[in-house]
Amino acid sequence: MSKEVRVRFAPSPTGGLHLGGVRTALFNYLFAKKNNGTFILRVEDTDQTRFVEGAEQYILDCLEWCGIAPDESPQKPGAFGPYRQSERKPTYRQYAEQLIASGYAYYAFDTAEELTAKRAEEPNFLYGQKTRMQMRNSLTLTQSEVSELLAQNAPHVIRIKMPTDEQVTFTDMIRGVVSFDTNLVDDKVLLKADGMPTYHLAVVADDKAMEISHVFRGEEWLPSAPIHLLLWKYLGWENEMPAWAHLPLILKPDGNGKLSKRDGDRLGFPVYAMNWTDPKTGDLTKGFKELGFMSEAFVNLLALLGWNDGTDKEIFTLEELKAAFSVERISKAGAKFDFEKAKWFNHEWIKQSPISRLQADVNDLLKQNGIEADNERLASVIELIKDRCTLLPDFVAQSAYFFVSPSEYDSAAVKPKWNTDKAAFFEEFANTLNIELSALDLEASFKALAEAKGLKPGEVMLPLRIMLVGGKFGPGVFDIVKLLGKEETAARIAKGIAAFA
C-alpha cells in the first residue's frame, strides 16, 4: 500500500452501540493494525436533533472494553482535528458553495410545508432530476430572486445536482465492481438550513481533511456511495479518494433481515455492547458486558460474523486477529447472528482463560451478591468450576456455597430415604475425615466406610453433596470437601443431619 493507512470509525452519538457498529469499528481497527496504520474515532454529530447526552462517552467506553481504543479521537486528538463534526461546522459551507459555483449543486428554498404538500400530491415523491424544475430553488428562480432570498437570510438547503443518464462505478474491496444509475438517485441535501452539513457532505469533507485511506462501513451505506463518489470528483479530490469496503449485514437468527434492537428484545438477547440507559426516558437496554460476556469472547465472535481466516479455527485472541485479518476473507453475504453460538464462544473463553484474568470479575460479582471471598480460596474455586460457567454471573451460583454455608436444601431428594443409620454414618465420616488425603482417596475412604456400615455408596453420595452445596449441582463432591476443609465440612454435615431429621 503506497500511502499511510488511516481508517475511521464514525458513529453518531444517538444511543447504544449496536454490535454491528462494534464490528465495523473492529474491522477498521484490525485493518489498521495489520498495516501499521492509524485507527481514528470521529464523532458524527451533525444531526443535533438526534444528539443524546452521554452517548459519546458510552461509545468510547465500549471501544475501551473491547480493547480497540482509537489512536486519535476527541479525547486523544492528533494532527487532524477537530474529531467532532459539530466542531468542524465552519469548513463545510465553503465546499457546498464551491459545488454551486461549479454547477454541481443548488440552493433550495422550499419550505417544510411545501415539501409536505408535494409528498401528499405525489406519494413516492423524490426531489431530483424529474421534479427539481417544479420546485422553488436556484434552478427555477432568477438570479436576482436567489440573491434577494440569500440577502434576506431566507431558510434554505443546498442540494447536490445529480447528473442524468450516467453510470457511477467503483471497485469495492469486498464486492468487486459496483455500478449505479444516477437516474435512480435523488438530489440529496448537502447542507441543512441550520448550516450543518448532512452526512453526505461531511463524510467526504472530513475523510479528505483527515487523509482517510480506506473506508470500512456497513452495506446499508451502499446506496449513498454514488453521491459520495461524485462529491469526491466534483470537489476535485478524485485522486485522493479512499478505497471502499462495504461490510455484510449482521442478520436476524433466521437470516430474514438486518438484526435490530427490537429483535434482541423479542428473542431475549442483547444487541448492544454494553448497558445503555436512555437519559430522557430512563429505559435500560442491556448489553453483552453486563450479561456476563468476556470482552475477548465478544470481539472474537464479532470478528467471525462475516470473516474467517480460511481454516476451521474459531478461537482467536485480538493479537491473532490482527495477524490473520485480511479484507479478501470478508464475506459478501450477510452473517446470521446465533446467540447460542455467541454463548459458546464465551464458554470457551472462560475455560481457556487463566485464573488471573477471571479473578477480579468473579470477585466483583460475588461482592455484588454480598459474598466476601478470600483470594487464595477463590483462585482454587475458579479453577474447579470454570468449565461449568457459560456467562460470568454463572460463577456466583457455582461458587457461592464455597464461601457461604447453604441456608436451604433440596430436602425432597434426601428425606424419603433418610434414616438414623445414615445420620450415624455421616457423623462418623465427619469425625474421621482426613483432609490431607487427595480427593480420590477421600472418595475411596468414604465408600469404604459406607460399605462397612452396610450402606451402598450411591445412597449417601447425594446427601453429602446436598449437605455441602444445598442442591444437586457442583463439581466433584470430594473436590468440594478438599476446598472446604475438615472443620467447615463437618459443620455442614452436622447442619444437614439436623435439616434432614
Side-chain angles (χ1 to χ4, degrees), residues 39 397 458 462:
F39 171 52
L462 181 61

Side-chain angles (χ1 to χ4, degrees), residues 18 29 47 84 135 158 176 188-189 208 211 218 240 244 247 284 289 305 323 377 380 382 399 403 437 443 478 486:
H18 187 280
Y29 173 89
D47 189 345
R84 294 184 190 95
M135 308 303 291
I158 295 177
K188 299 291 187 190
V189 173
K208 164 69 167 65
E211 298 181 11
E240 298 166 79
W244 305 85
L247 303 173
L284 170 68
K289 177 179 186 281
L305 283 172
R377 161 89 55 98
S380 300
I382 291 171
S399 69
F403 308 102
L437 296 175
E443 183 174 1
F478 295 99
K486 180 178 174 68

Side-chain angles (χ1 to χ4, degrees), residues 373-432:
D374 67 272
N375 284 333
E376 191 176 340
R377 161 89 55 98
L378 182 57
S380 300
V381 168
I382 291 171
E383 185 65 63
L384 190 58
I385 64 169
K386 65 177 184 169
D387 286 7
R388 299 170 168 272
C389 299
T390 299
L391 300 171
L392 289 173
D394 294 344
F395 277 97
V396 176
Q398 292 288 346
S399 69
Y401 55 83
F402 282 103
F403 308 102
V404 180
S405 178
S407 56
E408 295 179 355
Y409 299 95
D410 182 2
S411 300
V414 177
K415 278 193 170 183
K417 295 183 179 179
W418 186 254
N419 56 42
T420 53
D421 290 344
K422 288 179 181 174
F425 160 79
F426 277 107
E427 284 173 0
E428 185 167 342
F429 173 69
N431 289 332
T432 59

